[in-house]
Amino acid sequence: MTIDDVSRVPSPPRALAATERMVGNCEVILGSNCKLANPHVVRPVRFICTHRKAFAKWGPIYAAHAELGKFQAQINGALASQRTIVAERRDDLSYRANRIDLSKARFLRVLEVRLHPGHEVEFAEAFKKLTAAYEKTESDLPWVAYQVNVGMPSPTFFAFVPMRTLAQNDDLLNLRDLLHEAEGEAAERMQQIARAAYAHTESNLYAISPEKSHVSKEFAAGDPEFWTPKPPAPMRVAAKKSGKNKPTQ
């Protein structure tokens, strides 16, 4: 998976939409739900070579579509900064990741954990204990973990929690007491790991923006009303009646 951390002023909507229609890979745009987090572009890819092939297509596309090059120039002019992060999926540190259907998600909670060097084993231990606690509570909020390979100080991990409603974010917060109880004797060990291994943690909540995303037809079929909504019907303007007065008798 690759993540583009984008700091920008609002891009011209027409330029952004036209550019995304020409891209061959899948892009889900996350609009920030808090003031401190930048918008993100998430691209799930199976291999890093897939990511390179997608970028290699841009040259011929710009050559064949001059107007598209102008749109891209408008987008580039609106960017203040951009960073690409490459991360590897870690199913062994995830919770019921195979049950995630991103096509039905509306929000995404993202937890970033940056470790002190040399503490990857302890982090894996803590997350496996956390997964076991989630299993005991039978939580219906699956999440998937990723380990950063390129683009950030290492070691860094991300956990993504897709949600259909904001109410599920409240459920996640209310789950803390149950999780602490389910962790049992492992709770103290997890706190020890956090104190010794964690250099920085940050949690952000994002809203998924379908109108700015570029997804495959198969992906959109999971929730077509959300990903490919029908345009609103044009409003009909009633014809004005003639203002001529009828002759008086």
Side-chain angles (χ1 to χ4, degrees):
M1 179 191 68
T2 68
I3 307 170
D4 281 352
D5 181 2
V6 180
S7 175
R8 59 176 175 81
V9 296
S11 299
R14 183 168 173 240
L16 187 60
T19 303
E20 286 163 353
R21 283 196 297 270
M22 300 302 297
V23 181
N25 59 326
C26 175
E27 297 183 340
V28 178
I29 309 297
L30 307 180
S32 174
N33 241 35
C34 67
K35 294 181 179 178
L36 297 179
N38 292 328
H40 285 65
V41 183
V42 177
R43 299 185 182 95
V45 294
R46 187 174 295 274
F47 302 107
I48 192 60
C49 61
T50 307
H51 184 58
R52 288 198 298 266
K53 289 178 181 178
F55 275 95
K57 293 181 180 179
W58 281 110
I61 289 175
Y62 290 147
H65 303 274
E67 187 179 14
L68 186 61
K70 294 179 181 178
F71 289 151
Q72 185 61 46
Q74 293 178 34
I75 295 173
N76 292 340
L79 293 177
S81 66
Q82 181 177 358
R83 173 178 59 170
T84 298
I85 302 165
V86 179
E88 178 184 0
R89 178 166 163 164
R90 292 288 303 270
D91 283 345
D92 59 319
L93 305 181
S94 305
Y95 170 67
R96 299 184 179 181
N98 61 334
R99 299 189 182 184
I100 292 175
D101 185 354
L102 191 57
S103 70
K104 292 181 171 55
R106 300 292 180 270
F107 303 92
L108 193 66
R109 191 169 191 89
V110 181
L111 172 65
E112 175 190 337
V113 182
R114 193 173 302 172
L115 305 177
H116 293 297
H119 287 275
E120 293 92 329
V121 174
E122 291 96 327
F123 174 81
E125 177 188 350
F127 252 55
K128 288 177 181 179
K129 291 181 183 297
L130 181 62
T131 299
Y134 265 78
E135 289 288 358
K136 289 181 182 179
T137 63
E138 296 185 351
S139 170
D140 62 351
L141 278 172
W143 40 269
V144 58
Y146 283 84
Q147 182 174 0
V148 173
N149 286 343
V150 176
M152 294 186 70
S154 185
T156 299
F157 291 80
F158 284 100
F160 295 88
V161 187
M163 296 178 292
R164 298 188 181 188
T165 67
L166 282 176
Q168 288 186 298
N169 185 62
D170 296 334
D171 294 342
L172 187 64
L173 299 176
N174 296 332
L175 192 61
R176 290 177 178 176
D177 291 339
L178 288 175
L179 282 174
H180 188 75
E181 182 180 345
E183 288 163 1
E185 296 180 357
E188 179 59 30
R189 172 57 180 161
M190 293 172 67
Q191 291 178 6
Q192 291 176 355
I193 293 174
R195 288 192 294 267
Y198 292 10
H200 168 81
T201 62
E202 182 176 339
S203 181
N204 286 302
L205 179 63
Y206 297 92
I208 294 176
S209 179
E211 68 276 3
K212 296 180 181 178
S213 301
H214 173 84
V215 300
S216 66
K217 292 181 179 180
E218 293 77 13
F219 185 96
D223 195 340
E225 291 185 1
F226 179 72
W227 293 105
T228 55
K230 295 180 180 179
M235 296 181 61
R236 294 183 178 179
V237 180
K240 293 183 178 180
K241 295 181 179 180
S242 175
K244 294 181 180 180
N245 297 326
K246 295 181 179 180
T248 56
Q249 297 293 333

